[in-house]
Amino acid sequence: MAEDVKEESVASNDESDQAASDGSLSNTMLTEGSCLLRRMEICVAEAEKRSGKNAVSMQETYTVYLVETRPIDAIAEGHNPPPDSLWRRYSEFELLRNYLIVTYPYIVVPPLPEKRAEFVWHKLSADNMDPDFVERRRIGLENFLLRVASHPVLSNNEMLYHFLTKEHGWKEMVYETGFQTKADSRLRALSATFRVRSPHKRLVEMKHYSDGLQSHTSQLLRARTRVADRLYAVYKVHGNYGRVFSEWSAIEKEMGDGLQSAGHHMDAYAASVDDILEEEEHYADQLKEYLSYAEALRAVCRKHELSQFELEMASQDLISKKQQLRTFSLKGMTNKLFGQEAPEQREAKLNLLEELIAEGEETVKEKTAECDEHAEKAWADIVRFKDQKDKDLQEALINYALMQISMCKKGIQVWNNAKECFLKM
């Protein structure tokens, strides 16, 4: 799937690259309106286990990933320069993604691979330091970078470029942007979800879509783990056949060679199940990516609900102040509300109220524009995401089905081979 993103970015039309960069980049590799993946070859080449002390001076073991980049222009001109490389921890990928989520609240930011294995077939290790798991996560981190670098907006972000090219000082640069102060608390977003009165119809549709995506993908992953367990049991039965045939061949003189050959076929077939299920796990990782995408979709919805809630509160406050102004202006009500006041005092209060109303009207105008812009941009990005999802999942499921067909053909061939052995007895 990572390779597909790379090909997709080259084949995509120019319309997808018209979004402006969040910051001005000095490096000539990134020009305004360009897609980073068209200018730079990106890969996460390898993973390495290291040990060191953490922030509280305790010894820990962690994994770092080698990020390599190379300018495509140099490759196209026939040169083959060595790639620029740097090491990144998983937490640095998380920091990059959190920064992008806050900076672009209307974009469905690609998810990271899981930090700890979920929906794992029980014979595979769920240890996050297991070499097979680390390798799958390396592939997932590369896929994350390729997705971000091929996005028409995210690809032009300055901090993404620095993440890929500056090994030291990158985190400090991100923190200096102050993005953390802009991050909305989950409690505040949850409160807005329940209190918003008029949610945007398209965003409600997006929220239902994300719920359905999560539900269906979870069911598919659970079904896959159950099928994997049953498949493993079937293969191990063949291993038992192989052992029985081998032991039987030792006491049969005339049929010994045929039984032993049949046993070898069964043993080889039984031993192949580990490689098959490990290959299946890569397809499961592609499904897990879209399980995580469901949460990314909901994050976009939560941000809009919060903006909508702030708009509704501002509108309600403006209505209240206008009501106060009308009440204040009614003859005969002045004494009841304010007592005996001098004309200058009443005039000052009236002017203050009018100023507050003007400020409220400006706030409502700004919040309305913010909500409309967020909804428009979010919907455009969800349309792009749906196209990507349909293509990716269709390809993954087709490849999974082809793998199952190939596996079944091998099983038939094993039994045909065993049959020939039996016929020769």
Side-chain angles (χ1 to χ4, degrees):
M1 190 178 291
E3 289 78 1
D4 294 336
V5 177
K6 196 176 294 185
E7 294 174 1
E8 210 173 288
S9 67
V10 176
S12 60
N13 56 40
D14 294 335
E15 293 179 1
S16 65
D17 298 326
Q18 291 177 351
S21 163
D22 191 51
S24 176
L25 303 184
S26 59
N27 193 290
T28 56
M29 288 177 62
L30 285 174
T31 56
E32 186 177 359
S34 70
C35 176
L36 178 59
L37 207 56
R38 294 185 178 183
R39 303 278 181 172
M40 178 185 287
E41 188 179 84
I42 303 170
C43 77
V44 179
E46 61 180 275
E48 182 179 291
K49 190 181 295 185
R50 293 182 182 177
S51 297
K53 291 185 178 181
N54 57 21
V56 292
S57 298
M58 294 182 65
Q59 196 72 16
E60 66 171 347
T61 301
Y62 56 91
T63 305
V64 290
Y65 300 88
L66 183 63
V67 179
E68 294 184 344
T69 57
R70 222 168 10 181
I72 287 180
D73 290 345
I75 300 172
E77 292 171 2
H79 304 296
N80 191 24
D84 295 323
S85 61
L86 48 80
W87 294 94
R88 295 290 186 204
R89 294 186 62 173
Y90 185 89
S91 58
E92 293 180 89
F93 284 87
E94 286 184 309
L95 177 60
L96 173 63
R97 185 171 186 272
N98 290 337
Y99 165 78
L100 293 175
I101 288 173
V102 173
T103 307
Y104 305 98
Y106 53 88
I107 286 178
V108 185
V109 178
L112 291 168
E114 56 190 352
K115 195 165 187 177
R116 287 176 176 78
E118 298 178 358
F119 297 102
V120 179
W121 170 59
H122 77 276
K123 295 294 181 182
L124 293 179
S125 173
D127 180 10
N128 64 347
M129 301 301 287
D130 177 76
D132 291 333
F133 175 75
V134 171
E135 171 60 17
R136 293 201 308 275
R137 190 162 68 178
R138 180 197 67 76
I139 295 172
L141 291 173
E142 179 177 287
N143 188 59
F144 164 76
L145 289 180
L146 293 176
R147 288 210 185 278
V148 173
S150 64
H151 192 282
V153 177
L154 300 180
S155 65
N156 287 297
N157 181 267
E158 187 174 8
M159 291 303 155
L160 168 65
Y161 181 71
H162 292 326
F163 175 89
L164 296 169
T165 58
K166 294 183 180 294
E167 184 162 15
H168 304 291
W170 171 79
K171 288 194 288 186
E172 290 74 14
M173 294 175 67
V174 174
Y175 288 127
E176 285 173 2
T177 64
F179 83 98
Q180 290 174 305
T181 61
K182 302 176 186 177
D184 300 311
S185 69
R186 284 190 172 272
L187 184 61
R188 186 164 169 244
L190 184 63
S191 174
T193 299
F194 286 105
R195 297 170 65 184
V196 67
R197 296 177 180 176
S198 305
H200 195 284
K201 290 183 179 180
R202 279 185 167 178
L203 273 297
V204 172
E205 182 182 337
M206 184 193 298
K207 193 172 182 179
H208 291 326
Y209 177 81
S210 67
D211 291 340
L213 179 61
Q214 182 184 42
S215 175
H216 298 322
T217 307
S218 298
Q219 291 174 12
L220 190 56
L221 285 166
R222 290 191 186 96
R224 182 259 160 187
T225 56
R226 291 195 298 269
V227 170
D229 288 337
R230 293 175 184 175
L231 184 65
Y232 183 82
V234 169
Y235 272 71
K236 289 311 173 185
V237 167
H238 285 74
N240 293 336
Y241 288 153
R243 189 185 71 254
V244 169
F245 289 154
S246 296
E247 293 175 355
W248 190 3
S249 67
I251 59 176
E252 291 285 352
K253 293 183 179 180
E254 295 182 1
M255 298 189 302
D257 292 341
L259 289 169
Q260 190 173 34
S261 296
H264 288 327
H265 288 303
M266 295 296 173
D267 288 337
Y269 186 62
S272 67
V273 68
D274 294 323
D275 291 336
I276 290 172
L277 292 178
E278 180 63 32
E279 183 181 351
E280 277 195 11
E281 204 65 29
H282 289 286
Y283 293 115
D285 287 341
Q286 292 176 348
L287 293 177
K288 289 176 185 177
E289 180 188 19
Y290 280 93
L291 186 65
S292 300
Y293 258 123
E295 177 56 33
L297 286 165
R298 278 196 291 272
V300 175
C301 296
R302 283 195 298 268
K303 180 62 181 178
H304 185 270
E305 287 169 341
L306 184 57
S307 298
Q308 182 67 32
F309 178 68
E310 291 173 349
L311 170 61
E312 291 178 0
M313 291 298 98
S315 300
Q316 187 175 338
D317 184 61
L318 178 60
I319 292 172
S320 176
K321 285 184 171 59
K322 287 183 176 180
Q323 182 63 37
Q324 290 179 34
L325 180 62
R326 285 194 294 269
T327 304
F328 184 75
S329 301
L330 290 175
K331 292 182 180 180
M333 294 295 292
T334 304
N335 292 341
K336 183 183 292 186
L337 293 174
F338 304 102
Q340 296 294 333
E341 292 180 330
E344 295 81 4
Q345 291 176 315
R346 291 197 298 271
E347 185 67 23
K349 288 185 177 181
L350 181 62
N351 291 337
L352 176 61
L353 197 54
E354 289 176 343
E355 289 177 6
L356 292 175
I357 290 174
E359 291 176 2
E361 289 175 339
E362 186 63 27
T363 299
V364 169
K365 182 179 178 181
E366 291 175 358
K367 291 294 181 183
T368 301
E370 179 184 329
C371 282
D372 291 344
E373 182 183 20
H374 184 277
E376 182 180 353
K377 290 183 175 179
W379 187 253
D381 200 60
I382 189 64
V383 170
R384 178 202 60 80
F385 165 77
K386 284 183 176 181
D387 290 340
Q388 168 197 304
K389 182 218 66 171
D390 291 344
K391 179 184 177 183
D392 287 348
L393 291 186
Q394 182 183 36
E395 182 177 349
L397 293 174
I398 288 174
N399 288 336
Y400 178 79
L402 292 175
M403 188 200 77
Q404 295 293 324
I405 293 171
S406 176
M407 180 185 67
C408 291
K409 287 181 177 179
K410 290 178 181 178
I412 294 172
Q413 186 61 48
V414 165
W415 277 102
N416 285 332
N417 293 338
K419 179 181 177 182
E420 292 179 6
C421 294
F422 296 146
L423 292 174
K424 292 177 181 178
M425 293 180 188

